[in-house]
Amino acid sequence: MLRNKRKGIATLTLLLAFVLVISACSQSNSNTSSNNGGNQTGNAPAAPADPFGKYTEPVTLAVGQKVDPADKSLPAGDTPDNNQFTRYIKDNLNIDVSNAFTASPTNYDQKVSLSISSNDLPDAMVVNAQQMRLMYDNGQLADLTEAFNSNASPALKRVLEESNKRAMDTVTFDGKIMALPQAEDAGIHEMWIRKDWLDKLGLEPPKTMADLEKVADAFTNQDPDGNGKKDTIGIAGPSSSGKMYANFLDSANNLYGFDPIFSAYGAYPGYWVKDADGNPAYGSTLPQTKEALGKLRDLYSKGLIDPQMAIRTDSGESIVSGQTGMFFAPWWMGYGPLTDAVKQNPKANWQAYALPLDAQGQFSPHLSAPAGQFVVVSKDYKNPEAVIKLQNLLLRDESKFDLTKGSIGFYPVRLALGPSDESEFTVQAVRDVLSGAKTPEDFADKPEYKLLQGDLTNIKKVKIEPYDKMDIQYWNPTADMGAWTRLYSIMVGVAPNVDVQMNRVSSLLYSQTNSMETKWVNLKKMEDETFLKIVVGGAPLDTFDKFVTDWKKQGGDQITAEVAEAVKE
């Protein structure tokens, strides 16, 4: 009897051990699938456990994609679904990318919002902050925490977790990573000015607003281009579809607006800042903004700001043609009109400055949001790590693509990724190489600075001695126009960020509150129309006071209270 009982216990022990082994194997397979990804049927290809591991079986990824119909860079036979980027992804990762939908830049946000509201979601897409928050509230987002921790490359982790911590905060909800943020240094808005015009007229770069008016007057009235005609423009303005200043919901890369002029008066329209009592306030309603609008109105009435700005469709045209002497924009304008301007006139010496200064003698620009765009993944997509791998690949290999065979915008669910100090780091690295203090090989361990090795290799192709002078006569653009475009933007456009101590101002909030969802469109429309009328002389300056009263009554006070509560939280 005792022997039979012992036999029964032994048998039970063996059965329990067998069950535990089976369970452990099952758990191991489950972990493998989680870390390396499976195909769309739920099977787990034996992909290597590394950030660039190639799936054994194809994995599909259907994305929402922004496609600019004016972009003709794709070669014959290529399409938004089939191009150098999708083929590279297929060859390296065995991911088949297709477009669940495409939309033009003008219609993309509307298409995304429709996709969210109808719950007809692609596997992944790029969204703005409000759309990301709405998807989170709707329970539509995949939790990317495990996918990111297991599959993000070391370089991607350095970019997002070390260099751009503020950006990661924007996608972390209840301790979970719910999206990938665009993390880069979008750049501050600075002054670009024709230094050859300054030299011809015996002028210096304008430090104060009084200096700026003097220079703008000379550029407008003293024939700086020497053609004997009164056809020059002192200061370019925003186009008919542009903005006079960036705002907290669209805070980066405002072209030809007057952002530095506003900040010279301590004004930050479009941003949430503290008022004189230290309370959250909307910058567009504060007295400093009225003062800045009054100066802009004065400059415009004197013809020192482009008289056609309210109807001009492309402000860059007057820069390319050589008519304009001054404008405000971020560092990367070599990629914009300056390349074409220098092609037309190789002596057009555009230089960038952190000017004008405020009353304290400081340059006090506003900063863009920590992240303005986000890649989100549908909670129903079975391979969220595939989206992480796409970003790993882009960060590592972006410099390998030939952009004459398709612009980088065709890369699926692309985020512009880079360390927050990428452009400034590049300036110093190039300076070190040009001075002989370092060699390009000294920077070989910096893969997250994805364009750095190319910059260090190309700089002496296009830069003429003396290497510490950045005027246009010390460059050779025709040696490699593509390399010049980038390096001129970096070495001229970014230099003020490196060399000037700035008082950088952030918005207290970069996202919408509840009341904004129904009231903000009308409030912003009223603001834009009122301010434009004031500047161009269509309404008196004191119209500003009525605007403030109406803004508060029509929801502004309620929104301000919500912002104060959000800032407190």
Side-chain angles (χ1 to χ4, degrees), residues 228-285:
K229 301 177 182 178
K230 193 176 183 301
D231 59 354
T232 51
I233 297 168
I235 307 170
S239 68
S240 57
S241 60
K243 305 189 297 291
M244 281 201 288
Y245 44 87
N247 61 74
F248 73 103
L249 293 176
D250 189 9
S251 59
N253 300 337
N254 185 36
L255 304 184
Y256 315 115
F258 303 122
D259 304 72
I261 290 179
F262 280 102
S263 64
Y265 287 91
Y268 298 93
Y271 269 48
W272 291 96
V273 294
K274 290 183 179 180
D275 62 17
D277 298 321
N279 299 314
Y282 186 50
S284 298
T285 66

Side-chain angles (χ1 to χ4, degrees), residues 152-356:
S153 68
L156 184 62
K157 287 182 176 179
R158 284 197 295 271
V159 165
L160 293 180
E161 292 185 328
E162 297 175 20
S163 177
N164 293 283
K165 293 178 182 178
R166 290 171 67 230
M168 283 303 286
D169 288 344
T170 64
V171 299
T172 303
F173 298 86
D174 298 322
K176 299 176 182 178
I177 299 172
M178 303 304 294
L180 290 180
Q182 177 165 299
E184 62 168 348
D185 180 5
I188 53 98
H189 299 94
E190 58 193 3
M191 173 190 290
W192 286 90
I193 194 165
R194 284 284 296 267
K195 189 167 179 288
D196 54 317
W197 285 13
L198 289 174
D199 293 341
K200 179 178 179 180
L201 299 175
L203 298 169
E204 296 293 325
K207 291 184 178 181
T208 67
M209 282 302 302
D211 295 337
L212 184 144
E213 181 171 354
K214 176 182 176 182
V215 168
D217 184 88
F219 281 2
T220 304
N221 298 309
Q222 295 183 26
D223 191 25
D225 60 355
N227 68 355
K229 301 177 182 178
K230 193 176 183 301
D231 59 354
T232 51
I233 297 168
I235 307 170
S239 68
S240 57
S241 60
K243 305 189 297 291
M244 281 201 288
Y245 44 87
N247 61 74
F248 73 103
L249 293 176
D250 189 9
S251 59
N253 300 337
N254 185 36
L255 304 184
Y256 315 115
F258 303 122
D259 304 72
I261 290 179
F262 280 102
S263 64
Y265 287 91
Y268 298 93
Y271 269 48
W272 291 96
V273 294
K274 290 183 179 180
D275 62 17
D277 298 321
N279 299 314
Y282 186 50
S284 298
T285 66
L286 296 179
Q288 299 94 311
T289 295
K290 181 179 181 181
E291 185 180 7
L293 287 171
K295 172 51 68 174
L296 288 168
R297 176 188 176 89
D298 183 48
L299 293 172
Y300 186 88
S301 70
K302 294 176 179 177
L304 308 186
I305 292 174
D306 180 11
Q308 303 297 315
M309 76 170 192
I311 59 174
R312 194 182 292 277
T313 58
D314 181 3
S315 298
E317 288 178 347
S318 67
I319 294 163
V320 172
S321 67
Q323 288 179 281
T324 292
M326 193 188 324
F327 69 92
F328 302 98
W331 64 265
W332 47 265
M333 293 311 289
Y335 291 95
L338 299 191
T339 291
D340 289 334
V342 170
K343 284 179 180 178
Q344 291 211 19
N345 179 7
K347 295 183 179 180
N349 187 18
W350 283 101
Q351 297 291 310
Y353 298 91
L355 294 173

Side-chain angles (χ1 to χ4, degrees), residues 435-450:
S435 70
K438 293 185 179 180
T439 67
E441 290 71 26
D442 291 326
F443 300 93
D445 63 340
K446 302 289 185 183
E448 61 267 39
Y449 297 92
K450 52 190 180 294

Side-chain angles (χ1 to χ4, degrees), residues 461-472:
K461 291 182 185 178
V462 294
K463 185 70 183 71
I464 300 170
E465 295 187 86
Y467 290 141
D468 61 342
K469 302 291 186 182
M470 294 297 155
D471 292 298
I472 191 64

Side-chain angles (χ1 to χ4, degrees), residues 9 153 222 302 306 381 423 503 513 515 555-556:
I9 291 172
S153 68
Q222 295 183 26
K302 294 176 179 177
D306 180 11
Y381 183 54
S423 54
N503 174 36
T513 65
S515 295

Side-chain angles (χ1 to χ4, degrees), residues 34 73 106 110 115 127 169 172 252 299 301 351 378 409 415-417 466 471 477 524 528 542:
S34 173
S73 62
T106 303
Q110 182 180 4
S115 176
V127 302
D169 288 344
T172 303
L299 293 172
S301 70
Q351 297 291 310
S378 167
L415 287 178
L417 293 168
D471 292 298
K524 191 68 173 67
D528 292 342
D542 285 343

